[in-house]
Amino acid sequence: MARKVSTRRKAIMTAIAWVIAFLIFFPILWTIILSFKSEGDAIKSPLQVLTSHWSFESYFVVQERSDYFRHFWNSVVISLGSTLIALVIAIPAAWAMAFVPGKRTKDVLMWMLSTKMMPAVGVLVPIYLMFRDWGLLDTRIGLVAVLCLMNLPIVIWMLYTYFKEIPNDILEAARMDGATLSSEILYVLTPMAVPGIASTLLLNVILAWNEAFWTLNLTAAKAAPLTAFIAAYSSPEGLFYAKLSAASTLAIAPILILGWFSQKQLVRGLTFGAVK
């Protein structure tokens, strides 16, 4: 029987939720506001900032100084490429861990997750030297490879969790009907786990899109994504708040739009299997 919730409590909880949501979103909102101000207005008090003149000056300057669309395309190729390759590797791996009995599965999963516990700077020098010797510095292929390997443990963990929620009887029935291993994964398992795979894809695209450490250290100009595009507006002379805000807004706008239109699929995937 559902528990009755009073109108007053519902209103209070709604108000608290809106306040928390506003606090979380406020830094992004303030960045967007500053992007429409001049450098002089951007350093004024908050009230003066809100009442000062609004303009697109910072966006024009940013586009003239940096080729936004080249950085944008690099981010798209790197984030989507690394995520799709990780999914191709992770789906069979997660299938094996979820449906093939093994005593060491938990140990293997924990070992993979432990690789995320090492600070990235701890392996920067050897990776940088390998990239230099192999000609992968400042290339999209190199960044796709390193971001794929960096996010692969998370992808496998997420898919393993989703696959474990699928009844093993369904796979057994497919095997009795003569399904091969590849058919079982492609035509039975994958369609049933589409919500989980979609949420995994979206989350890892966001992680790859926002990755700054590797993109700043392994690129210079040709393959530089939007994270390097933003970093260009931090200089020894100081921070140019309006231009930095404009660059940040241009960088986060695509991923905000993607998240907004895919929020239902994302929530559905994150809650996949939560209710029996």
Side-chain angles (χ1 to χ4, degrees), residues 19-52:
V19 170
I20 294 174
F22 178 77
L23 291 174
I24 294 173
F25 185 72
F26 181 76
I28 299 175
L29 177 62
W30 192 249
T31 299
I32 295 172
I33 292 173
L34 289 182
S35 69
F36 291 99
K37 305 296 179 179
S38 65
E39 290 295 344
D41 292 334
I43 60 175
K44 293 180 180 178
S45 65
L47 183 59
Q48 291 176 316
V49 168
L50 292 174
T51 56
S52 60

Side-chain angles (χ1 to χ4, degrees), residues 159-172:
L159 292 180
Y160 170 78
T161 303
Y162 297 135
F163 289 173
K164 286 294 287 184
E165 299 297 330
I166 296 176
N168 196 39
D169 294 341
I170 295 177
L171 298 182
E172 291 289 344

Side-chain angles (χ1 to χ4, degrees), residues 77-89:
V77 172
I78 292 166
S79 57
L80 282 179
S82 62
T83 301
L84 291 176
I85 293 173
L87 281 176
V88 170
I89 299 171

Side-chain angles (χ1 to χ4, degrees), residues 192-252:
M192 293 186 65
V194 163
I197 294 173
S199 64
T200 302
L201 185 146
L202 290 170
L203 287 175
N204 283 273
V205 164
I206 293 171
L207 288 175
W209 187 279
N210 293 330
E211 175 59 35
F213 180 81
W214 292 111
T215 56
L216 292 177
N217 285 287
L218 299 178
T219 62
K222 294 180 183 178
L226 288 172
T227 46
F229 169 75
I230 297 173
Y233 292 90
S234 175
S235 66
E237 291 80 15
L239 293 174
F240 299 93
Y241 289 106
K243 297 180 184 62
L244 181 60
S245 298
S248 298
T249 302
L250 288 171
I252 65 176

